[in-house]
Amino acid sequence: MAFAAWLHAHPPLRLGRLRAQRKKSSLDKPALLTFDDAYCDTAEFGFPLLQKYGFKGTLFVVTDQIGGTNAWDLHLGLSEQKLMTADQISYWAERGIEVGSHTKTHPDLRITAPEQIADQMRGSRERLEQLTSKPVMALAYPYGYFTDESAEIARRFYDAALTCDIGINTLSTDTLRLRRATVVPRYTLFDMRGSVTLGFNVLLIARIQLVLLAHRILDRFSVKPSARSERHP
């Protein structure tokens, strides 16, 4: 499999040990494989493939919705998706999948009060540590959104936190503001190379810009676009 052969050239990195691992010169061009929200299909299809080809990954869980659905997306008109149960999360944690926090309810931290942000981060970490019997050292900001204040609150509870900002991470990147490249269905090896090399996919960015342009044109002529089925991180 071309993807597997290519990814084996990029040593996997565990977020919980990022600060120690990033100092090792042996980690040349490491890659992080992350999965937000804990969708059931990730457990059904994604993790077995990682296991088959010898990869690890980090799963970010919304703890108040374990065994539930992506309730935070419904007001955006996105489709409802089933989320992993506690047993599924525990099963994959025992098989090498790192588990991280995605807060308790997936709020937009830009408009959440500081004391509520702290409760979201603390409560999610504690719930996951009880569930997996492992330390939870990493966070993914809901929707990828964060502020200077929420990043500093995250620093109290985690060693690393992921945004959805595009770009490459370097040794000087703040570990509480790590960038990521989004991977979508039907990605080719070319797409993957671009994402890892540049920190973003040129063709995907172009498609997004075209979609935004189409929406602006539709809005101008008062034509409402149909409901979307994409997922938010």
Side-chain angles (χ1 to χ4, degrees):
M1 184 178 182
F3 283 123
W6 180 76
L7 278 173
H8 271 298
H10 299 266
L13 199 60
R14 292 181 67 82
L15 278 167
R17 298 175 57 197
L18 178 60
R19 289 181 178 174
Q21 287 180 301
R22 73 193 311 205
K23 297 177 182 178
K24 297 180 180 179
S25 58
S26 59
L27 282 175
D28 183 29
K29 298 181 179 179
L32 292 166
L33 299 177
T34 63
F35 303 83
D36 288 6
D37 303 326
Y39 291 103
C40 277
D41 54 10
T42 302
E44 185 177 356
F45 303 107
F47 289 162
L49 281 175
L50 291 188
Q51 188 176 53
K52 177 179 179 180
Y53 291 103
F55 295 115
K56 303 297 183 183
T58 303
L59 173 70
F60 292 101
V61 179
V62 181
T63 53
D64 280 7
Q65 286 296 325
I66 291 175
T69 65
N70 56 326
W72 58 89
D73 279 337
L74 302 186
H75 74 284
L76 299 173
L78 304 183
S79 59
E80 188 173 36
Q81 305 286 334
K82 291 183 179 180
L83 304 180
M84 292 183 201
T85 64
D87 287 344
Q88 287 176 305
I89 294 167
S90 296
Y91 176 88
W92 285 108
E94 292 171 358
R95 285 156 181 78
I97 295 298
E98 183 178 20
V99 176
S101 167
H102 207 23
T103 70
K104 292 166 61 177
T105 62
H106 205 286
D108 183 341
L109 299 182
R110 300 173 301 176
I111 55 174
T112 303
E115 61 275 11
Q116 293 176 330
I117 293 175
D119 178 69
Q120 287 274 344
M121 292 181 180
R122 182 193 303 108
S124 176
R125 186 195 66 185
E126 292 175 350
R127 173 74 177 93
L128 292 172
E129 288 180 341
Q130 292 172 355
L131 179 61
T132 65
S133 299
K134 299 177 187 294
V136 174
M137 307 300 292
L139 165 78
Y141 297 112
Y143 307 105
Y145 298 152
F146 70 101
T147 63
D148 290 344
E149 184 173 43
S150 60
E152 290 310 307
I153 294 173
R155 203 180 302 277
R156 290 158 43 188
F157 302 105
Y158 303 100
D159 285 345
L162 295 170
T163 72
C164 287
D165 294 348
I166 61 176
I168 295 295
N169 295 299
T170 68
L171 291 176
S172 63
T173 303
D174 185 348
T175 57
L176 275 297
R177 300 165 187 258
L178 294 171
R179 307 178 186 96
R180 287 192 287 181
T182 301
V183 176
V184 299
R186 296 179 295 279
Y187 249 34
T188 66
L189 184 57
F190 172 82
D191 294 321
M192 290 292 292
R193 285 182 183 274
S195 294
V196 173
T197 304
L198 302 175
F200 63 92
N201 182 293
V202 176
L203 295 179
L204 178 61
I205 295 299
R207 288 197 294 267
I208 291 173
Q209 292 303 317
L210 286 174
V211 170
L212 292 175
L213 176 61
H215 276 256
R216 285 196 293 269
I217 293 172
L218 290 170
D219 288 341
R220 182 176 180 180
F221 292 99
S222 300
V223 178
K224 299 297 183 182
S226 58
R228 298 170 294 163
S229 60
E230 297 94 340
R231 296 169 172 176
H232 278 282

